[in-house]
Amino acid sequence: GESESESEDSMCLNIVCSVPKRKQVPRAPDQAPVYAPTSKRVRLPGCQGSVVHQAPWGGSGSLESDLHELCRYVQISDREHRAREEMFRKIRGACVLLWPEACIELYGSVATGLSTFCSDIDLCIRKAPGKSRLNVRRLAGTLKAAGWAERVEPRTNTKVPIVYAVHKHTGIEADVSFDKTKINHGMELQRAAAAKFKVLRPVTVALKLMLKYCNLDKPFRGGVSNFKLICLVIKLLQKRRTNDAAQAFEWFLETYSSPSAYSDELHCQVGPTSVVVELGPKGVRRLPECISLFAHACLLYTSPSPRDS
């Protein structure tokens, strides 16, 4: 009946895209506002079913336009960028106290320009003497004692041990690891791909938010990391070239809603830079849930369009 239809419609709406919003009032004076998921889930244009909530940027009725508008909407502001720099300096200060000879590097989406205002910062500490798991505990203790973090967790039972920290005023999150290999290769690959494929950012941003809303974006929870997601998008764009973000977005959902599209290892190369990432059950423990998500979202974008004719 009607209630059953409304329930299905609501599920489809929520699974497609959860658009975050900035809080209007900072949590402390002169601090960057934190983000919070809006209670109104936004369906991007092109989905089957009724339009429920208007996008924060107004919405144009065109999937192509809205993917680019979504990308601009979630771009980090200068104020938010400065807040991340401040957190970087605080963590670097703690590292200098513990390991004067160590160096700390910024990597991930913030470093490569593929971030959103709800992105965390990824840091890697190199040349710190001792085992990574012991160093994670030491750094976590130092950050807790500093008093600026609302939450600090040493996560030592993961494949790559990290310190997870949340700034008490801005809500910005940080993941700190030790001596991760091939970080520079990954960053070079992302920068080269972003320059080569103009639709990489809008497509990746929409997919990141989709995975984030469904709690499938964290590797330590068995989800797809940002880097692995970007590699999947790159592989798709290398096989099927387009400058149409909507077309690439639909192609991604169609391609990766099938288990046969995944292998245990994904080889990704742009120019001279190449990387290999683990997929399958070992690399992404909750891959079947990700495939179901893409398949469900794909059903919402199956209406014929001028691009298909």
Side-chain angles (χ1 to χ4, degrees):
E2 185 176 345
S3 61
E4 194 173 285
S5 175
E6 287 177 357
S7 174
E8 175 67 16
D9 185 67
S10 175
M11 179 179 69
C12 293
L13 172 67
N14 289 346
I15 209 167
V16 173
C17 191
S18 171
V19 178
K21 66 178 181 181
R22 292 173 173 91
K23 286 186 177 177
Q24 298 301 312
V25 181
R27 294 170 65 180
D30 300 322
Q31 297 285 352
V34 296
Y35 79 94
T38 176
S39 59
K40 296 181 179 180
R41 307 300 171 192
V42 177
R43 175 183 290 137
L44 296 175
C47 290
Q48 301 296 310
S50 59
V51 176
V52 181
H53 293 299
Q54 190 177 41
W57 54 87
S60 66
S62 159
L63 176 60
E64 172 71 14
S65 176
D66 268 32
L67 284 170
H68 287 283
E69 288 296 328
L70 170 64
C71 195
R72 283 189 283 269
Y73 173 76
V74 298
Q75 189 168 352
I76 291 179
S77 69
D78 290 343
R79 189 181 186 189
E80 290 156 347
H81 182 68
R82 289 194 297 271
R84 282 165 173 78
E85 289 181 332
E86 178 197 358
M87 191 170 185
F88 174 81
R89 287 193 294 269
K90 288 181 180 297
I91 295 174
R92 183 176 58 189
C95 292
V96 169
L97 286 175
L98 293 169
W99 308 287
E101 302 301 319
C103 60
I104 182 167
E105 300 175 7
L106 177 69
Y107 69 101
S109 60
V110 172
T112 57
L114 293 170
S115 59
T116 69
F117 66 75
C118 45
S119 293
D120 60 7
I121 56 175
D122 296 297
L123 304 171
C124 179
I125 300 172
R126 298 190 184 277
K127 301 179 182 178
K131 295 184 178 294
S132 293
R133 281 175 170 77
L134 178 60
N135 288 341
V136 161
R137 295 189 185 96
R138 290 186 65 192
L139 178 60
T142 302
L143 295 181
K144 284 179 182 178
W148 56 263
E150 179 180 69
R151 184 177 168 193
V152 178
E153 294 178 8
R155 295 176 175 170
T156 57
N157 294 325
T158 55
K159 184 177 180 181
V160 178
I162 64 167
V163 179
Y164 168 76
V166 183
H167 197 289
K168 68 167 59 174
H169 295 312
T170 64
I172 294 171
E173 301 172 324
D175 290 338
V176 188
S177 58
F178 289 81
D179 296 314
K180 286 185 72 172
T181 58
K182 299 182 179 178
I183 284 178
N184 291 336
H185 278 80
M187 290 175 60
E188 289 170 9
L189 181 92
Q190 291 177 73
R191 290 191 181 113
K196 185 174 183 178
F197 305 113
K198 303 305 179 186
V199 299
L200 179 68
R201 177 171 166 79
V203 172
T204 302
V205 163
L207 292 167
K208 281 171 66 171
L209 292 174
M210 186 189 300
L211 289 165
K212 185 179 182 67
Y213 175 66
C214 294
N215 293 317
L216 290 170
D217 64 323
K218 299 295 184 184
F220 71 91
R221 292 190 185 128
V224 182
S225 70
N226 285 337
F227 182 60
K228 289 180 180 180
L229 176 64
I230 290 168
C231 287
L232 288 172
V233 177
I234 291 171
K235 289 295 286 187
L236 176 77
L237 294 175
Q238 287 175 329
K239 292 179 180 178
R240 306 178 74 175
R241 294 295 296 270
T242 181
N243 289 322
D244 186 323
Q247 189 172 59
F249 182 67
E250 293 174 3
W251 281 348
F252 183 97
L253 297 177
E254 291 169 4
T255 301
Y256 293 113
S257 61
S258 170
S260 63
Y262 301 86
S263 56
D264 288 340
E265 288 186 343
L266 174 68
H267 296 255
C268 190
Q269 180 169 354
V270 180
T273 307
S274 64
V275 297
V276 178
V277 296
E278 276 190 325
L279 290 175
K282 288 185 178 180
V284 183
R285 181 166 44 84
R286 296 173 66 190
L287 185 60
E289 294 174 63
C290 299
I291 294 172
S292 296
L293 168 64
F294 297 146
H296 194 101
C298 184
L299 294 176
L300 305 176
Y301 290 91
T302 55
S303 58
S305 69
R307 293 185 304 276
D308 301 324
S309 56

